[in-house]
Amino acid sequence: MTGHAETSVTTSDKPAVWRGRVWLMVVAVIFAAMFFLYYYEDIRIGPPQPVSFSHRVHAGVKEINCRFCHSNVERSAHAGLPEVEKCFFCHKYIIPKYPEMQKEERFFNTNTPVPWVRIFWVPDFVFFNHIPHIKWAGFDCSRCHGDVKTMDRLEYTKFQMNFCITCHRENRAQVDCWLACHR
Ligand code: HEC
Ligand code: HEC
Ligand code: HEC
Ligand code: HEC
C-alpha cells in the first residue's frame, strides 16, 4: 500500500515541477519582450512633443501638402516650422475643444512659439540648403526624412557625412568638401 502511495506521489509531482519551470520561462520571455518593445518604441517613434501633433493624421490621412506648413522649403536654406497662427486656420473650426488643441491655444493666446523638439539637424560646420535638393534635383522629402506621412511622432536621424557623400557621388553632384558642404 505504502509503495503504491510513494510512486503515485513521485509520478504526479514530476510534471508539476516541469510545469513550474515552463511557466517561469514563459514569464521571463514575456518580460523580455515587453522590455524590448518599450525600449525600441522610444527610439522608433521619436521624442514626445509639447503638443501631440501627428504627421500621419495631417500629411497622411488628411493629405495636407508638406509645403503648406513648411512653406520656406523651396525659398530659403531652412524649411521652417509653421507658426501657431497656421494651426488655427483650421483648428478655429476643427476640434477646438480637444485638450491638445487647448494647449496649442494657450501658446497662441500668449504669443509664445511652440517649443517643438528639434529632430533633424546637421552640425554647425556643415552647410546644408534644401533648395538645390528639392527645386533643382527634385528629390522627394522622404529621401532624407523617411516616410513622414506614416509617423505620429517623427524619429531622430543623425545624418552621417557618408549619407551626403554617397548620394552626391551617385548623382554626380559636388563632392569637393570645401566647395560644397564645409564652407
Ligand atoms: C499641418 C502642418 C504640417 C504638415 C502638413 C506637415 N508638417 Fe512637418 N511639421 C509640422 C510641425 C508642427 C512640426 C514640429 C513638430 C514635429 O516635429 O512633429 C513638423 C516637423 C517636421 C520635421 C522635423 C523638423 C525638425 O525638428 O527637425 C520634418 C522633417 C517635417 N515636418 C517634414 C514634413 C513633411 C515631409 C511633410 C509632408 C509629407 C510635412 N512635414 C507635413 C507641421 C506640418
Ligand atoms: C489644413 C487644416 C489643418 C491645419 C493647418 C492643422 N490641422 Fe490639425 N487637424 C486637422 C484635421 C482635419 C484633423 C482631424 C480632426 C478629426 O480627427 O476630427 C486634425 C487633427 C489634429 C489633432 C488631433 C489629432 C489626433 O488624432 O491626435 C491635433 C492635436 C492637431 N490637429 C494639431 C495641429 C497643430 C498643432 C497644427 C499646427 C502646427 C495643426 N493641427 C494644423 C486639420 C489641420
Ligand atoms: C537631401 C536631403 C533632404 C531632403 C530631400 C529634404 N530635407 Fe529637410 N532636412 C535635411 C537636413 C540635412 C536637415 C537639417 C538641416 C540643418 O540642420 O540645418 C533638414 C531639416 C528639415 C526641417 C527642420 C527645420 C529646418 O528648417 O531646418 C524641416 C521642417 C524639413 N527639413 C522639411 C523638409 C521637407 C518638407 C522636405 C520636402 C519638401 C525636405 N525637408 C526634404 C535634408 C533633406
Ligand atoms: C538624395 C541625394 C542627396 C543627399 C542625401 C544629399 N545631397 Fe546634397 N545634393 C544632391 C544633388 C543631386 C545636388 C546638386 C543639385 C543640382 O545642382 O541640381 C546637391 C547639392 C548640394 C549642395 C550645393 C552644392 C553646390 O554645387 O553649390 C550642397 C551644399 C549640398 N548638396 C549639401 C549636402 C549635405 C550637407 C548633405 C547631407 C546632410 C546632402 N547634400 C545630402 C544630392 C543629395
Side-chain angles (χ1 to χ4, degrees):
M1 248 348 221
T2 41
H4 179 81
E6 259 169 35
T7 46
S8 77
V9 164
T10 43
T11 44
S12 65
D13 252 17
K14 249 192 184 150
V17 168
W18 274 107
R19 239 177 284 138
R21 283 186 192 152
V22 168
W23 273 116
L24 223 84
M25 267 162 65
V26 168
V27 168
V29 166
I30 290 173
F31 267 104
M34 275 166 62
F35 175 78
F36 279 109
L37 275 179
Y38 279 112
Y39 183 68
Y40 280 114
E41 187 160 52
D42 261 2
I43 295 172
R44 211 181 58 231
I45 67 172
Q49 295 283 0
V51 174
S52 70
F53 176 83
S54 163
H55 278 86
R56 184 182 58 78
V57 170
H58 291 85
V61 181
K62 300 297 171 188
E63 298 182 320
I64 303 168
N65 196 304
C66 312
R67 285 157 177 84
F68 178 76
C69 291
H70 304 291
S71 44
N72 287 328
V73 76
E74 284 174 20
R75 282 188 240 135
S76 81
H78 295 285
L81 298 183
E83 318 77 48
V84 189
E85 286 81 9
K86 209 169 250 184
C87 310
F88 287 98
F89 280 0
C90 301
H91 284 289
K92 206 156 79 182
Y93 313 103
I94 298 169
I95 56 169
K97 296 281 167 246
Y98 184 61
E100 287 299 311
M101 247 17 261
Q102 304 222 301
K103 264 203 236 165
E104 184 78 12
E105 202 174 345
R106 249 169 272 143
F107 288 113
F108 183 64
N109 291 337
T110 54
N111 240 320
T112 328
V114 183
W116 300 112
V117 179
R118 190 74 197 254
I119 312 285
F120 292 96
W121 50 275
V122 290
D124 279 346
F125 57 81
V126 176
F127 177 85
F128 179 84
N129 187 337
H130 278 93
I131 295 172
H133 298 95
I134 292 163
K135 219 172 168 179
W136 304 347
F139 290 116
D140 194 78
C141 313
S142 61
R143 268 302 279 269
C144 301
H145 293 298
D147 201 0
V148 164
K149 283 202 263 306
T150 63
M151 299 178 200
D152 282 319
R153 280 200 230 148
L154 301 189
E155 54 185 343
Y156 276 125
T157 312
K158 187 161 179 260
F159 290 118
Q160 305 284 354
M161 192 164 74
N162 236 345
F163 174 72
C164 318
I165 292 188
T166 308
C167 186
H168 276 212
R169 286 231 170 84
E170 280 166 7
N171 288 280
R172 299 173 184 279
Q174 186 61 264
V175 284
D176 182 301
C177 318
W178 304 109
L179 278 178
C181 311
H182 303 291
R183 314 181 169 187

